Amino acid sequence: MTNLKPSDKALVPFVSVDHMMKLIHHIGVEPMLAGLAEYIEADFRRWELFDKTPRVASHSEKGVIELMPTSDGDVYGFKYVNGHPSNTAEGLQTVTAFGLLADVSNGYPVLLTEMTMLTALRTAATSALVARLLAPKGSHVMAMIGNGAQSEFQGLAMKAICGVDEIRLYDIDRAATAKCAANLAGQGLKVVECTSAEEAMLGAQIITTCTADKQYATILSDNMVGAGVHINAIGGDCPGKTELAPAILHRAGIFVEYPEQTRIEGEIQQLEPDHPVTEIWQVLTGQAQGRTDEKQITLFDSVGFAIEDFSALRYVRDQIGETGLFHPLDLLADPDDPRDLFGMLQRARG
Amino acid sequence: MTNLKPSDKALVPFVSVDHMMKLIHHIGVEPMLAGLAEYIEADFRRWELFDKTPRVASHSEKGVIELMPTSDGDVYGFKYVNGHPSNTAEGLQTVTAFGLLADVSNGYPVLLTEMTMLTALRTAATSALVARLLAPKGSHVMAMIGNGAQSEFQGLAMKAICGVDEIRLYDIDRAATAKCAANLAGQGLKVVECTSAEEAMLGAQIITTCTADKQYATILSDNMVGAGVHINAIGGDCPGKTELAPAILHRAGIFVEYPEQTRIEGEIQQLEPDHPVTEIWQVLTGQAQGRTDEKQITLFDSVGFAIEDFSALRYVRDQIGETGLFHPLDLLADPDDPRDLFGMLQRARG
């Protein structure tokens, strides 16, 4: 009667960092970015179904730890993510993350996975999905301002999803630019290393800002931004951290994931709380207009929303069955008789 | 230069259900209950330090999934827990849980552990800690009404921490009572199987109610409860789920973990929102009075609070180093250069 092996019900598939990297290579970086964008688009199109709990943040002097839960009524997901700008100096990641999916009908987890890699991919997939929706027709050159951990993923997502074929890099740290250029070599993109943001923006229809300053910064000033571009603003993503001069915001059509969150965390924290913004999901479903004309400046004020993580978790869950790239994790106590937890404990005595 | 093995920084100690059961047997059930009670008491004594975010609940028709985060400023912890009463009929646990500790200074997780077993222990440890504080001097007989998964842990915690030597069992399901009695045989408690709640309460100074009805139930009616007892009410722990007749509440001194949460989830959801209650931590620190006299009915309206899970996680974290009862889990992507996540991915290509 002794059953020392955990039952199937007790086991939760776990995707380690190693397995995630193998999964990415198995699928291919660009196909995976495109697949993630499909899942994110599908979930944005059924936006109103979702339980949109605000993220639960625990702030300290050094940074923040957040839980980002959501549910579509059948599946529940959450992401654990930290943000600690000073980590880089200690050789640690500024942001690490993991996530979980569970079955709403019984509360049992069905997937636990690393999400540091996965978040990098879903962020880039979201940017590219939105750029495809809003950028001027025929956009093919992107300025990439800020060449840190997110930059290569942005470049490849814009290539795979929007048809970008040239990426122009700038970072205040030349080593970061060199790193990004080296990583993107041979990936089918024309890569140009630039020595100023202005140079990076020459001929670019898409301008992506993704810098790490935790302060009100002005990565783009008003006179730098001409008509008819799409700005993909990623780095301004928490209170006190912005990248764009307010004047740019006043000239742009502003598109956001979830206004309640973006008004606190995004570029628009610099604006009045009733400044008009358009929700991406409404553009996708045709309930709101996207770009109005070729001269409009469109701005995606991206902060990252729980539904994007949910989509990414769903995508991974759908991929791992076939590939076997997971470990079964003995996470849940599952006694033969649910009322007999103590009996299970007693029977486990070696 | 290829480094396929995860670095130490990437690895999070993971305590599986199997390891948790081994840890409990290694330490011993009663010593572990006593150890948990010590950690919980220590954290209750520094109650004001804690970030007491309310739990974040996602409700559905079938049940609830909750995240319970807290932090003492140095360490952050959260528990994932579900509650699905209909699970038992499908051979699943009503409640499953896992938890995590992280370092506030850098946001890196330092422990991931099953918490189904651990929650059973911390709930019993909390009950016994409070009973030691509030029950009449010389209490040694406990009535245990509801003989499900929590019942044996309650019995052993009351024995280890309060000196209970006799436990009187009653459940509407006789099989549950027989299961509990069999599990407690040879554990040093006199175990009496009873055929009614009244019989179970004969001579008991401590009355524990822990039933699973998800409805306003009356496990104890007013005339059943005499003077000078301590009621440890565990089963009433969510909106709409209570066990005690309101008249008992009006006769009792009521003690709670965190009033903001207990007024929604506990027995006192049946009372006016300003009905006086005493916080356990204030009794422990001497800021509030416990039992006033030997004839008082004291009631611990227990719903389970995040700080108890935090204490339990701290306890496990402190124990596993020595015993080695954990797996290192490759949960965090940790590139040599934090800005070079993509390079790490490229180098992992087989």
Side-chain angles (χ1 to χ4, degrees), chain A residues 16-18 25 56 80 82 84 87 93 102 104-108 149 173 179 183 187 330 332-333 335 338-340 345-346, chain B residues 16-18 25 56 80 82 84 87 93 102 104-108 149 173 179 183 187 330 332-333 335 338-340 345-346:
Chain A
S16 67
V17 176
D18 183 52
H25 289 304
V56 186
Y80 170 102
N82 74 297
H84 286 73
N87 273 7
Q93 285 285 108
V104 167
S105 73
N106 59 28
Y108 272 47
D173 179 359
K179 178 264 322 178
N183 282 337
Q187 303 272 356
D330 173 26
L332 307 175
R339 292 171 312 184
D340 197 13
L345 174 62
Q346 279 186 312
Chain B
S16 66
V17 177
D18 183 52
H25 288 305
V56 186
Y80 169 102
N82 75 296
H84 286 73
N87 273 7
Q93 286 283 106
V104 167
S105 73
N106 60 28
Y108 271 49
D173 179 359
K179 178 262 326 178
N183 281 337
Q187 304 272 356
D330 174 25
L332 308 176
R339 293 171 310 184
D340 197 13
L345 174 63
Q346 279 185 311

Short mmCIF file of all heavy atoms in Angstrom, two decimals, chain A residues 16-18 25 56 80 82 84 87 93 102 104-108 149 173 179 183 187 330 332-333 335 338-340 345-346, chain B residues 16-18 25 56 80 82 84 87 93 102 104-108 149 173 179 183 187 330 332-333 335 338-340 345-346:
data_model
loop_
_atom_site.label_atom_id
_atom_site.label_comp_id
_atom_site.label_asym_id
_atom_site.label_seq_id
_atom_site.Cartn_x
_atom_site.Cartn_y
_atom_site.Cartn_z
N SER A 16 12.51 24.72 -17.09
CA SER A 16 13.68 25.41 -16.55
C SER A 16 14.21 26.41 -17.58
O SER A 16 13.77 26.42 -18.74
CB SER A 16 14.77 24.40 -16.23
OG SER A 16 15.24 23.82 -17.44
N VAL A 17 15.17 27.21 -17.17
CA VAL A 17 15.82 28.12 -18.12
C VAL A 17 16.46 27.31 -19.25
O VAL A 17 16.33 27.65 -20.44
CB VAL A 17 16.89 28.98 -17.41
CG1 VAL A 17 17.62 29.86 -18.42
CG2 VAL A 17 16.24 29.83 -16.32
N ASP A 18 17.11 26.21 -18.87
CA ASP A 18 17.75 25.36 -19.87
C ASP A 18 16.72 24.82 -20.87
O ASP A 18 16.93 24.87 -22.09
CB ASP A 18 18.46 24.21 -19.15
CG ASP A 18 19.22 23.32 -20.11
OD1 ASP A 18 20.02 23.85 -20.89
OD2 ASP A 18 18.99 22.10 -20.08
N HIS A 25 15.20 27.35 -29.32
CA HIS A 25 16.00 26.90 -30.46
C HIS A 25 15.26 25.83 -31.26
O HIS A 25 15.38 25.78 -32.49
CB HIS A 25 17.37 26.39 -30.00
CG HIS A 25 18.27 27.50 -29.54
ND1 HIS A 25 18.57 28.57 -30.34
CD2 HIS A 25 18.91 27.72 -28.37
CE1 HIS A 25 19.37 29.40 -29.68
NE2 HIS A 25 19.58 28.90 -28.48
N VAL A 56 0.19 43.35 -8.06
CA VAL A 56 0.37 43.54 -6.62
C VAL A 56 1.84 43.77 -6.37
O VAL A 56 2.65 42.85 -6.54
CB VAL A 56 -0.10 42.29 -5.85
CG1 VAL A 56 -0.05 42.54 -4.37
CG2 VAL A 56 -1.50 41.90 -6.30
N TYR A 80 5.56 36.13 -11.40
CA TYR A 80 6.38 36.78 -10.37
C TYR A 80 7.48 37.51 -11.10
O TYR A 80 8.17 36.91 -11.94
CB TYR A 80 6.98 35.72 -9.46
CG TYR A 80 8.05 36.23 -8.49
CD1 TYR A 80 7.75 36.46 -7.16
CD2 TYR A 80 9.37 36.46 -8.92
CE1 TYR A 80 8.72 36.91 -6.27
CE2 TYR A 80 10.34 36.93 -8.04
CZ TYR A 80 10.00 37.15 -6.72
OH TYR A 80 10.95 37.60 -5.84
N ASN A 82 10.61 40.71 -10.57
CA ASN A 82 11.23 41.76 -9.77
C ASN A 82 11.82 42.81 -10.70
O ASN A 82 12.06 42.55 -11.88
CB ASN A 82 12.34 41.20 -8.86
CG ASN A 82 13.58 40.84 -9.64
OD1 ASN A 82 13.53 39.96 -10.48
ND2 ASN A 82 14.70 41.52 -9.38
N HIS A 84 15.01 45.49 -10.07
CA HIS A 84 16.04 46.04 -9.18
C HIS A 84 17.16 46.62 -10.02
O HIS A 84 18.11 45.92 -10.38
CB HIS A 84 16.56 44.94 -8.25
CG HIS A 84 15.62 44.54 -7.16
ND1 HIS A 84 14.48 43.80 -7.41
CD2 HIS A 84 15.62 44.81 -5.83
CE1 HIS A 84 13.82 43.62 -6.26
NE2 HIS A 84 14.49 44.22 -5.29
N ASN A 87 20.85 45.84 -9.47
CA ASN A 87 21.35 44.47 -9.59
C ASN A 87 22.49 44.34 -10.60
O ASN A 87 23.40 43.53 -10.40
CB ASN A 87 20.22 43.52 -10.01
CG ASN A 87 19.44 42.98 -8.82
OD1 ASN A 87 19.66 43.40 -7.69
ND2 ASN A 87 18.53 42.06 -9.07
N GLN A 93 20.69 39.95 -12.72
CA GLN A 93 19.69 40.48 -13.64
C GLN A 93 18.85 41.56 -12.95
O GLN A 93 18.43 41.40 -11.81
CB GLN A 93 18.73 39.36 -14.07
CG GLN A 93 19.31 38.39 -15.07
CD GLN A 93 19.38 39.00 -16.45
OE1 GLN A 93 20.46 39.32 -16.94
NE2 GLN A 93 18.24 39.19 -17.08
N ALA A 102 -2.77 27.72 -14.06
CA ALA A 102 -3.56 26.77 -13.27
C ALA A 102 -4.94 26.60 -13.91
O ALA A 102 -5.40 27.46 -14.66
CB ALA A 102 -3.70 27.26 -11.84
N VAL A 104 -8.69 26.74 -13.62
CA VAL A 104 -9.64 27.46 -12.77
C VAL A 104 -10.66 26.51 -12.12
O VAL A 104 -11.09 26.71 -11.00
CB VAL A 104 -10.37 28.56 -13.57
CG1 VAL A 104 -11.58 29.12 -12.81
CG2 VAL A 104 -9.40 29.70 -13.90
N SER A 105 -10.99 25.42 -12.83
CA SER A 105 -12.06 24.54 -12.32
C SER A 105 -11.65 23.78 -11.07
O SER A 105 -12.50 23.40 -10.28
CB SER A 105 -12.50 23.56 -13.41
OG SER A 105 -11.52 22.57 -13.62
N ASN A 106 -10.35 23.53 -10.88
CA ASN A 106 -9.95 22.81 -9.66
C ASN A 106 -8.76 23.46 -8.93
O ASN A 106 -8.35 22.98 -7.87
CB ASN A 106 -9.65 21.33 -9.95
CG ASN A 106 -8.55 21.14 -10.98
OD1 ASN A 106 -7.67 21.99 -11.10
ND2 ASN A 106 -8.60 20.06 -11.72
N GLY A 107 -8.22 24.52 -9.49
CA GLY A 107 -7.15 25.25 -8.81
C GLY A 107 -5.78 24.60 -8.90
O GLY A 107 -4.82 25.11 -8.34
N TYR A 108 -5.68 23.48 -9.62
CA TYR A 108 -4.39 22.79 -9.72
C TYR A 108 -3.49 23.47 -10.75
O TYR A 108 -3.90 23.68 -11.89
CB TYR A 108 -4.60 21.32 -10.10
CG TYR A 108 -4.80 20.39 -8.94
CD1 TYR A 108 -5.70 20.71 -7.91
CD2 TYR A 108 -4.10 19.19 -8.83
CE1 TYR A 108 -5.88 19.87 -6.84
CE2 TYR A 108 -4.28 18.33 -7.75
CZ TYR A 108 -5.17 18.67 -6.76
OH TYR A 108 -5.35 17.83 -5.70
N ALA A 149 19.42 44.15 -22.67
CA ALA A 149 18.96 42.76 -22.80
C ALA A 149 17.76 42.59 -23.71
O ALA A 149 17.54 41.53 -24.28
CB ALA A 149 18.65 42.19 -21.41
N ASP A 173 26.27 53.60 -23.76
CA ASP A 173 27.39 52.69 -23.54
C ASP A 173 27.72 52.00 -24.88
O ASP A 173 26.98 51.15 -25.34
CB ASP A 173 27.00 51.67 -22.47
CG ASP A 173 28.11 50.67 -22.21
OD1 ASP A 173 29.18 50.73 -22.86
OD2 ASP A 173 27.90 49.80 -21.34
N LYS A 179 27.84 44.84 -28.38
CA LYS A 179 27.27 43.54 -27.99
C LYS A 179 26.05 43.21 -28.83
O LYS A 179 25.90 42.11 -29.39
CB LYS A 179 26.93 43.59 -26.50
CG LYS A 179 26.29 42.39 -25.87
CD LYS A 179 24.76 42.35 -25.75
CE LYS A 179 24.06 43.63 -25.41
NZ LYS A 179 22.58 43.49 -25.36
N ASN A 183 25.60 40.22 -31.61
CA ASN A 183 24.56 39.19 -31.46
C ASN A 183 23.63 39.13 -32.67
O ASN A 183 23.10 38.06 -32.99
CB ASN A 183 23.72 39.46 -30.20
CG ASN A 183 24.43 39.02 -28.92
OD1 ASN A 183 25.32 38.17 -28.95
ND2 ASN A 183 24.04 39.62 -27.81
N GLN A 187 21.84 37.41 -38.71
CA GLN A 187 20.44 37.10 -38.45
C GLN A 187 19.54 37.66 -39.56
O GLN A 187 18.32 37.63 -39.44
CB GLN A 187 20.01 37.69 -37.11
CG GLN A 187 20.83 37.23 -35.91
CD GLN A 187 20.30 35.94 -35.29
OE1 GLN A 187 19.27 35.43 -35.69
NE2 GLN A 187 21.03 35.42 -34.30
N ASP A 330 7.31 17.63 -8.42
CA ASP A 330 6.48 17.07 -7.34
C ASP A 330 6.07 18.22 -6.40
O ASP A 330 6.57 18.35 -5.29
CB ASP A 330 7.31 16.00 -6.62
CG ASP A 330 6.65 15.45 -5.38
OD1 ASP A 330 5.41 15.48 -5.28
OD2 ASP A 330 7.40 14.96 -4.49
N LEU A 332 2.67 19.22 -5.66
CA LEU A 332 1.35 19.16 -5.01
C LEU A 332 1.21 17.86 -4.22
O LEU A 332 1.37 16.77 -4.77
CB LEU A 332 0.25 19.21 -6.06
CG LEU A 332 0.32 20.38 -7.04
CD1 LEU A 332 -0.77 20.24 -8.09
CD2 LEU A 332 0.19 21.70 -6.32
N ALA A 333 0.88 18.00 -2.96
CA ALA A 333 0.59 16.80 -2.17
C ALA A 333 -0.73 16.23 -2.66
O ALA A 333 -1.73 16.93 -2.73
CB ALA A 333 0.49 17.16 -0.69
N PRO A 335 -2.75 12.99 -1.76
CA PRO A 335 -3.02 11.71 -1.11
C PRO A 335 -4.13 10.95 -1.83
O PRO A 335 -4.97 11.55 -2.50
CB PRO A 335 -3.47 12.11 0.30
CG PRO A 335 -3.96 13.51 0.16
CD PRO A 335 -3.19 14.13 -0.96
N PRO A 338 -8.24 12.48 -0.22
CA PRO A 338 -7.91 13.89 0.02
C PRO A 338 -8.02 14.30 1.49
O PRO A 338 -7.36 15.24 1.91
CB PRO A 338 -8.94 14.64 -0.83
CG PRO A 338 -9.38 13.67 -1.87
CD PRO A 338 -9.28 12.32 -1.24
N ARG A 339 -8.85 13.58 2.26
CA ARG A 339 -8.98 13.94 3.67
C ARG A 339 -7.88 13.34 4.52
O ARG A 339 -7.81 13.56 5.72
CB ARG A 339 -10.34 13.49 4.22
CG ARG A 339 -11.51 14.25 3.61
CD ARG A 339 -12.80 13.60 4.02
NE ARG A 339 -12.73 12.15 3.82
CZ ARG A 339 -13.74 11.31 4.01
NH1 ARG A 339 -14.89 11.76 4.43
NH2 ARG A 339 -13.58 10.01 3.79
N ASP A 340 -7.02 12.54 3.86
CA ASP A 340 -6.03 11.79 4.65
C ASP A 340 -4.61 12.25 4.36
O ASP A 340 -3.73 11.45 4.03
CB ASP A 340 -6.18 10.29 4.39
CG ASP A 340 -5.48 9.49 5.48
OD1 ASP A 340 -5.12 10.08 6.52
OD2 ASP A 340 -5.28 8.28 5.28
N LEU A 345 1.44 11.33 4.90
CA LEU A 345 2.69 11.66 5.59
C LEU A 345 3.24 10.45 6.34
O LEU A 345 4.43 10.13 6.25
CB LEU A 345 2.45 12.84 6.54
CG LEU A 345 3.60 13.24 7.46
CD1 LEU A 345 4.80 13.72 6.65
CD2 LEU A 345 3.14 14.34 8.43
N GLN A 346 2.36 9.76 7.04
CA GLN A 346 2.81 8.59 7.81
C GLN A 346 3.36 7.50 6.89
O GLN A 346 4.36 6.86 7.19
CB GLN A 346 1.66 8.04 8.64
CG GLN A 346 1.46 8.81 9.94
CD GLN A 346 0.40 8.16 10.82
OE1 GLN A 346 -0.68 7.84 10.33
NE2 GLN A 346 0.72 7.98 12.09
N SER B 16 10.24 19.61 -2.66
CA SER B 16 9.10 18.88 -3.21
C SER B 16 8.24 18.34 -2.07
O SER B 16 8.63 18.38 -0.90
CB SER B 16 9.61 17.72 -4.06
OG SER B 16 10.27 16.78 -3.22
N VAL B 17 7.11 17.78 -2.42
CA VAL B 17 6.27 17.13 -1.41
C VAL B 17 7.05 16.00 -0.74
O VAL B 17 7.03 15.84 0.48
CB VAL B 17 4.97 16.58 -2.05
CG1 VAL B 17 4.15 15.83 -1.01
CG2 VAL B 17 4.16 17.72 -2.67
N ASP B 18 7.76 15.23 -1.57
CA ASP B 18 8.55 14.13 -1.04
C ASP B 18 9.60 14.64 -0.04
O ASP B 18 9.76 14.09 1.06
CB ASP B 18 9.23 13.40 -2.21
CG ASP B 18 10.01 12.19 -1.76
OD1 ASP B 18 9.43 11.36 -1.04
OD2 ASP B 18 11.20 12.08 -2.10
N HIS B 25 9.62 14.13 8.88
CA HIS B 25 10.03 12.94 9.63
C HIS B 25 11.42 13.11 10.22
O HIS B 25 11.70 12.61 11.31
CB HIS B 25 9.94 11.69 8.74
CG HIS B 25 8.54 11.29 8.45
ND1 HIS B 25 7.62 11.04 9.46
CD2 HIS B 25 7.87 11.12 7.28
CE1 HIS B 25 6.45 10.72 8.91
NE2 HIS B 25 6.57 10.77 7.60
N VAL B 56 -4.86 38.38 -2.73
CA VAL B 56 -5.41 38.70 -4.04
C VAL B 56 -6.15 37.47 -4.54
O VAL B 56 -5.53 36.45 -4.83
CB VAL B 56 -4.27 39.05 -5.03
CG1 VAL B 56 -4.86 39.51 -6.34
CG2 VAL B 56 -3.37 40.10 -4.43
N TYR B 80 0.76 30.60 -2.99
CA TYR B 80 -0.33 30.33 -3.93
C TYR B 80 -1.19 29.28 -3.27
O TYR B 80 -0.68 28.25 -2.81
CB TYR B 80 0.25 29.77 -5.23
CG TYR B 80 -0.78 29.21 -6.20
CD1 TYR B 80 -1.19 29.94 -7.30
CD2 TYR B 80 -1.33 27.94 -6.03
CE1 TYR B 80 -2.12 29.43 -8.19
CE2 TYR B 80 -2.26 27.42 -6.91
CZ TYR B 80 -2.65 28.17 -8.00
OH TYR B 80 -3.58 27.67 -8.88
N ASN B 82 -5.27 27.37 -3.52
CA ASN B 82 -6.62 27.32 -4.07
C ASN B 82 -7.58 26.76 -3.01
O ASN B 82 -7.16 26.12 -2.05
CB ASN B 82 -6.67 26.44 -5.33
CG ASN B 82 -6.60 24.96 -4.98
OD1 ASN B 82 -5.58 24.53 -4.45
ND2 ASN B 82 -7.64 24.20 -5.26
N HIS B 84 -11.22 24.70 -3.48
CA HIS B 84 -12.25 24.16 -4.39
C HIS B 84 -12.98 23.02 -3.68
O HIS B 84 -12.55 21.86 -3.77
CB HIS B 84 -11.60 23.67 -5.69
CG HIS B 84 -11.17 24.77 -6.61
ND1 HIS B 84 -10.08 25.56 -6.34
CD2 HIS B 84 -11.69 25.24 -7.77
CE1 HIS B 84 -9.95 26.46 -7.31
NE2 HIS B 84 -10.91 26.29 -8.19
N ASN B 87 -13.58 19.59 -5.23
CA ASN B 87 -12.45 18.75 -5.64
C ASN B 87 -12.48 17.37 -5.00
O ASN B 87 -12.07 16.39 -5.62
CB ASN B 87 -11.11 19.43 -5.28
CG ASN B 87 -10.63 20.37 -6.38
OD1 ASN B 87 -11.34 20.62 -7.35
ND2 ASN B 87 -9.44 20.90 -6.20
N GLN B 93 -7.40 17.28 -3.94
CA GLN B 93 -7.35 18.06 -2.71
C GLN B 93 -8.24 19.31 -2.83
O GLN B 93 -8.18 20.01 -3.85
CB GLN B 93 -5.93 18.53 -2.42
CG GLN B 93 -4.99 17.48 -1.92
CD GLN B 93 -5.25 17.16 -0.46
OE1 GLN B 93 -5.81 16.11 -0.14
NE2 GLN B 93 -4.89 18.07 0.41
N ALA B 102 11.80 35.32 -1.20
CA ALA B 102 12.76 36.04 -2.04
C ALA B 102 13.49 37.07 -1.19
O ALA B 102 13.02 37.49 -0.13
CB ALA B 102 12.04 36.73 -3.20
N VAL B 104 14.53 40.65 -0.61
CA VAL B 104 13.99 41.97 -0.97
C VAL B 104 15.06 42.84 -1.63
O VAL B 104 14.75 43.63 -2.52
CB VAL B 104 13.40 42.67 0.27
CG1 VAL B 104 13.12 44.15 0.00
CG2 VAL B 104 12.11 41.97 0.71
N SER B 105 16.32 42.66 -1.24
CA SER B 105 17.36 43.57 -1.73
C SER B 105 17.67 43.39 -3.21
O SER B 105 18.12 44.31 -3.87
CB SER B 105 18.65 43.42 -0.91
OG SER B 105 19.31 42.21 -1.23
N ASN B 106 17.42 42.17 -3.76
CA ASN B 106 17.67 41.99 -5.20
C ASN B 106 16.54 41.29 -5.93
O ASN B 106 16.62 41.10 -7.15
CB ASN B 106 19.01 41.26 -5.43
CG ASN B 106 19.04 39.89 -4.78
OD1 ASN B 106 18.02 39.26 -4.61
ND2 ASN B 106 20.22 39.44 -4.41
N GLY B 107 15.50 40.88 -5.20
CA GLY B 107 14.34 40.28 -5.85
C GLY B 107 14.52 38.84 -6.27
O GLY B 107 13.61 38.26 -6.87
N TYR B 108 15.67 38.25 -5.96
CA TYR B 108 15.91 36.86 -6.36
C TYR B 108 15.23 35.88 -5.40
O TYR B 108 15.41 35.98 -4.18
CB TYR B 108 17.42 36.57 -6.39
CG TYR B 108 18.08 36.87 -7.71
CD1 TYR B 108 17.87 38.10 -8.34
CD2 TYR B 108 18.91 35.94 -8.33
CE1 TYR B 108 18.48 38.37 -9.56
CE2 TYR B 108 19.52 36.22 -9.54
CZ TYR B 108 19.31 37.43 -10.15
OH TYR B 108 19.91 37.71 -11.35
N ALA B 149 -8.64 16.53 6.82
CA ALA B 149 -7.19 16.55 6.62
C ALA B 149 -6.44 17.34 7.69
O ALA B 149 -5.27 17.09 7.96
CB ALA B 149 -6.87 17.13 5.23
N ASP B 173 -19.33 12.33 9.13
CA ASP B 173 -18.91 11.13 8.41
C ASP B 173 -18.10 10.25 9.35
O ASP B 173 -16.97 10.57 9.70
CB ASP B 173 -18.08 11.55 7.19
CG ASP B 173 -17.57 10.35 6.39
OD1 ASP B 173 -17.85 9.20 6.79
OD2 ASP B 173 -16.89 10.58 5.38
N LYS B 179 -10.77 7.26 10.45
CA LYS B 179 -9.47 7.57 9.82
C LYS B 179 -8.59 8.36 10.77
O LYS B 179 -7.42 8.03 11.00
CB LYS B 179 -9.74 8.36 8.53
CG LYS B 179 -8.55 8.83 7.74
CD LYS B 179 -8.07 10.26 7.93
CE LYS B 179 -9.08 11.33 8.20
NZ LYS B 179 -8.47 12.66 8.40
N ASN B 183 -5.09 7.16 12.56
CA ASN B 183 -3.85 7.90 12.34
C ASN B 183 -3.22 8.37 13.65
O ASN B 183 -2.00 8.51 13.74
CB ASN B 183 -4.10 9.12 11.44
CG ASN B 183 -4.20 8.73 9.97
OD1 ASN B 183 -3.69 7.70 9.54
ND2 ASN B 183 -4.87 9.57 9.19
N GLN B 187 0.26 7.74 19.14
CA GLN B 187 0.94 9.04 19.13
C GLN B 187 0.97 9.67 20.52
O GLN B 187 1.37 10.83 20.66
CB GLN B 187 0.25 10.00 18.15
CG GLN B 187 0.13 9.49 16.72
CD GLN B 187 1.35 9.82 15.85
OE1 GLN B 187 2.26 10.51 16.29
NE2 GLN B 187 1.38 9.30 14.64
N ASP B 330 16.57 25.19 -11.69
CA ASP B 330 17.10 26.14 -12.69
C ASP B 330 15.98 27.08 -13.13
O ASP B 330 15.44 26.99 -14.21
CB ASP B 330 17.66 25.31 -13.86
CG ASP B 330 18.11 26.15 -15.04
OD1 ASP B 330 18.44 27.34 -14.83
OD2 ASP B 330 18.11 25.60 -16.16
N LEU B 332 16.00 30.69 -12.76
CA LEU B 332 16.34 32.07 -13.10
C LEU B 332 17.41 32.12 -14.18
O LEU B 332 18.47 31.53 -14.04
CB LEU B 332 16.88 32.80 -11.87
CG LEU B 332 16.00 32.73 -10.61
CD1 LEU B 332 16.72 33.41 -9.46
CD2 LEU B 332 14.66 33.37 -10.87
N ALA B 333 17.13 32.82 -15.24
CA ALA B 333 18.14 33.02 -16.28
C ALA B 333 19.21 33.96 -15.72
O ALA B 333 18.89 35.04 -15.23
CB ALA B 333 17.51 33.63 -17.52
N PRO B 335 22.67 35.26 -17.07
CA PRO B 335 23.80 35.37 -17.99
C PRO B 335 25.02 36.00 -17.30
O PRO B 335 24.87 36.72 -16.31
CB PRO B 335 23.28 36.30 -19.09
CG PRO B 335 22.16 37.06 -18.47
CD PRO B 335 21.58 36.19 -17.40
N PRO B 338 24.57 40.65 -17.44
CA PRO B 338 23.13 40.78 -17.32
C PRO B 338 22.45 41.41 -18.54
O PRO B 338 21.28 41.17 -18.78
CB PRO B 338 22.96 41.68 -16.09
CG PRO B 338 24.21 41.52 -15.31
CD PRO B 338 25.30 41.27 -16.33
N ARG B 339 23.22 42.22 -19.29
CA ARG B 339 22.61 42.86 -20.46
C ARG B 339 22.62 41.94 -21.67
O ARG B 339 22.12 42.28 -22.72
CB ARG B 339 23.35 44.16 -20.81
CG ARG B 339 23.19 45.24 -19.77
CD ARG B 339 24.12 46.39 -20.09
NE ARG B 339 25.48 45.88 -20.32
CZ ARG B 339 26.53 46.65 -20.55
NH1 ARG B 339 26.39 47.96 -20.59
NH2 ARG B 339 27.72 46.13 -20.74
N ASP B 340 23.23 40.75 -21.49
CA ASP B 340 23.42 39.89 -22.66
C ASP B 340 22.59 38.61 -22.57
O ASP B 340 23.10 37.50 -22.71
CB ASP B 340 24.90 39.57 -22.85
CG ASP B 340 25.17 39.05 -24.26
OD1 ASP B 340 24.27 39.17 -25.12
OD2 ASP B 340 26.26 38.49 -24.48
N LEU B 345 21.34 32.98 -24.67
CA LEU B 345 20.47 32.11 -25.48
C LEU B 345 21.23 31.54 -26.66
O LEU B 345 21.16 30.33 -26.94
CB LEU B 345 19.25 32.92 -25.96
CG LEU B 345 18.30 32.24 -26.94
CD1 LEU B 345 17.65 31.02 -26.30
CD2 LEU B 345 17.23 33.22 -27.41
N GLN B 346 22.01 32.38 -27.34
CA GLN B 346 22.76 31.89 -28.51
C GLN B 346 23.79 30.84 -28.11
O GLN B 346 23.96 29.84 -28.79
CB GLN B 346 23.46 33.06 -29.20
CG GLN B 346 22.52 33.84 -30.12
CD GLN B 346 23.26 34.90 -30.89
OE1 GLN B 346 24.02 35.67 -30.30
NE2 GLN B 346 23.05 34.97 -32.19
#
